Amino acid sequence: MKRFLTLLFTTLLLSAALCVSASASNYDSVAEELADIGMFRGTSSGFELDRAPTRSEAAIMLVRLYGAEEEAASSYQAGEISHPFTDVGETAAPYVAWLYTNGITNGTSSTTFGSGSCSAQNYVVFLLRALGYKDGTDFQYADAAAFAMTHGLFDTSLVGGVFLRDDLAALTYQALACELKDGSTYLLDSLIQDGAIDAEAAKPITDKIESYRTLASLSAAERMDTDFTMSMDMDFTMEGQSDGQPIQEKESMSTTASGNIQMVLSETPQMAMTMKMTMLDETVDLGLWLRDGWLYVRMDQDAYRQDISAEMDEFMALYQQLMGQGYQSNVSMMMPFIDSITTKTSGGNTVYTLTLNRAFEALYHDLFSVILDEVMPMMQQAGIDFSLDFNVDTFSYTYTVDSNNQLKNATADMVMDVTVGFKQGEADTISLAISMDMDMTMDINAMGDQVKVSYPSDLSQFPEITAEVPATTTSAA
């Protein structure tokens, strides 16, 4: 079991670093917060987050994001605005009329607005317009999703499936924290200044945005040198049968790791990470270096050593694109996943505690499911049925900032339960339940120009790996 647990732990740890099935609606708390400021409203059936939004519902949201709901209602009532569409209900009519009169949106034909569902692409374009961007000038309609992501809008349906009112709520919440095109402020603050949203009602959201903007600015140094330590306690319970024989085992395992990270975030990022990890009485030394578009990896375990290198062309191209377009995801993209941010003063320091909500767990789950869906066909071809589910009980971060407004350290705490099912034929059926508690601390050694990235002197000797597979190894691959 020891080797099996080592392999399983490594797989889970790597998967966790990448990205938990989720319910049909994940952003209930986001919808509630939007409802408190009059931005999102339900029907007699509630918020109906588990169905696709209609184009009319998206139009209503867009007018609210322009801060023009009252203007649209009064102008429509006075006969000052109208629309030519025969498929728009009375509830949506003032909103559609305002958008049509102001040239912001058109219908699917000269007499129909469109009674079908609103796609993520449609809604992202609406949000970009509300932020001051113009399609055809600032971005092209076909590229709207990519453009939106570089400006703080992440379509959660990309990992969850069909675009639902649930995802519309999440995107709207992100948009409220996005900077306007002119850089003057963020959207929610602009709506408050214009009197479209009550400042007191919006205070819980604005406090969260302001706190996270401050926190993000403190931890967004382009150069950083930090030491880190990590500890994880896990309890395993395995039941089932192997080769027809019953299995029932329990085991506990503790894992520790420590190391250093040096990084320079520029157009050509540079990074060095060295780490020593101890697991099941075995120690692994791991080194990872990013230099001039190349990734170098070294692993030492007992008498075994492996060095490899790889050119990171696609990664570099994406990174440079994001850097060039002003990547804002550090604030607005995260907003739907933040449950709370609290601050307190301790010994001259300011301590920020950030707690993530169930929506983050659901996104995490969906991302993992996407990865699992890619792997499952290969496992099924091998005659293996595999299932995985997990629940995150705690996911929180603590940041300590000194009196000079400099980040001193950061900690992360995660408590998670994982259930793994494995079946191969009739003889092997295993169920494995895992409880894990992980704590990680990062101590900042230096930030700014004094940070230098250190590399091994023998990087040129690292063998290059490629995607090409020699014909003689096809069957083995």
Side-chain angles (χ1 to χ4, degrees), residues 121 125 135 139-147:
Q121 184 90 344
V125 171
D135 36 325
F139 67 94
Q140 300 301 316
Y141 181 85
D143 303 321
F147 181 84

Side-chain angles (χ1 to χ4, degrees), residues 8-283:
L8 179 65
F9 169 76
T10 305
T11 303
L12 291 173
L13 188 62
L14 291 173
S15 301
L18 292 173
C19 18
V20 239
S21 177
S23 63
S25 64
N26 301 323
Y27 302 100
D28 305 76
S29 61
V30 167
E32 293 283 357
E33 289 188 60
L34 292 174
D36 289 341
I37 60 173
M39 182 63 65
F40 194 81
R41 295 169 193 161
T43 67
S44 57
S45 301
F47 288 131
E48 298 185 272
L49 299 177
D50 58 352
R51 68 166 174 82
T54 65
R55 281 175 52 84
S56 291
E57 288 170 339
I60 292 171
M61 293 294 293
L62 180 58
V63 172
R64 290 173 183 160
L65 288 166
Y66 271 99
E69 185 169 28
E70 292 185 7
E71 177 189 337
S74 60
S75 296
Y76 184 76
Q77 185 70 28
E80 298 170 355
I81 57 175
S82 62
H83 65 79
F85 308 121
T86 59
D87 58 346
V88 175
E90 190 58 32
T91 299
Y95 303 91
V96 173
W98 188 88
L99 293 171
Y100 178 79
T101 302
N102 286 278
I104 296 172
T105 188
N106 294 311
T108 55
S109 74
S110 59
T111 58
T112 58
F113 180 69
S115 57
S117 60
C118 173
S119 68
Q121 184 90 344
N122 294 152
Y123 196 62
V124 160
V125 171
F126 284 173
L127 294 178
L128 289 171
R129 290 171 182 169
L131 292 169
Y133 298 100
K134 297 185 181 298
D135 36 325
T137 301
D138 298 306
F139 67 94
Q140 300 301 316
Y141 181 85
D143 303 321
F147 181 84
M149 189 171 290
T150 64
H151 290 76
L153 297 170
F154 170 66
D155 170 20
T156 53
S157 71
L158 289 173
V159 293
V162 179
F163 185 68
L164 304 174
R165 281 169 57 87
D166 195 44
D167 304 297
L168 179 145
L171 272 170
T172 304
Y173 201 84
Q174 290 174 346
L176 292 177
C178 282
E179 290 282 337
L180 300 179
K181 179 188 174 182
D182 62 14
S184 58
T185 187
Y186 55 92
L187 181 57
L188 179 57
D189 184 54
S190 173
L191 293 171
I192 293 172
Q193 291 181 31
D194 292 342
I197 290 181
D198 179 71
E200 190 61 31
K203 191 174 186 303
I205 303 179
T206 53
D207 284 351
K208 190 186 298 185
I209 293 174
E210 294 287 354
S211 293
Y212 194 61
R213 285 166 68 92
T214 298
L215 191 55
S217 68
L218 293 172
S219 58
E222 290 192 0
R223 291 174 173 266
M224 183 180 293
D225 183 322
T226 178
D227 293 328
F228 67 91
T229 58
M230 185 272 288
S231 64
M232 181 180 291
D233 295 323
M234 292 182 288
D235 294 321
F236 300 83
T237 301
M238 181 184 291
E239 298 177 333
Q241 62 179 20
S242 177
D243 295 327
Q245 299 300 312
I247 296 176
Q248 188 167 13
E249 297 185 35
K250 290 186 177 182
E251 188 164 336
S252 297
M253 183 178 81
S254 294
T255 300
T256 60
S258 60
N260 175 264
I261 299 175
Q262 302 165 341
M263 61 183 182
V264 175
L265 302 179
S266 59
E267 186 174 344
T268 304
Q270 313 292 326
M271 185 183 73
M273 183 189 79
T274 55
M275 178 177 72
K276 183 184 293 290
M277 183 170 68
T278 301
M279 176 173 53
L280 294 174
D281 300 323
E282 296 185 7
T283 299

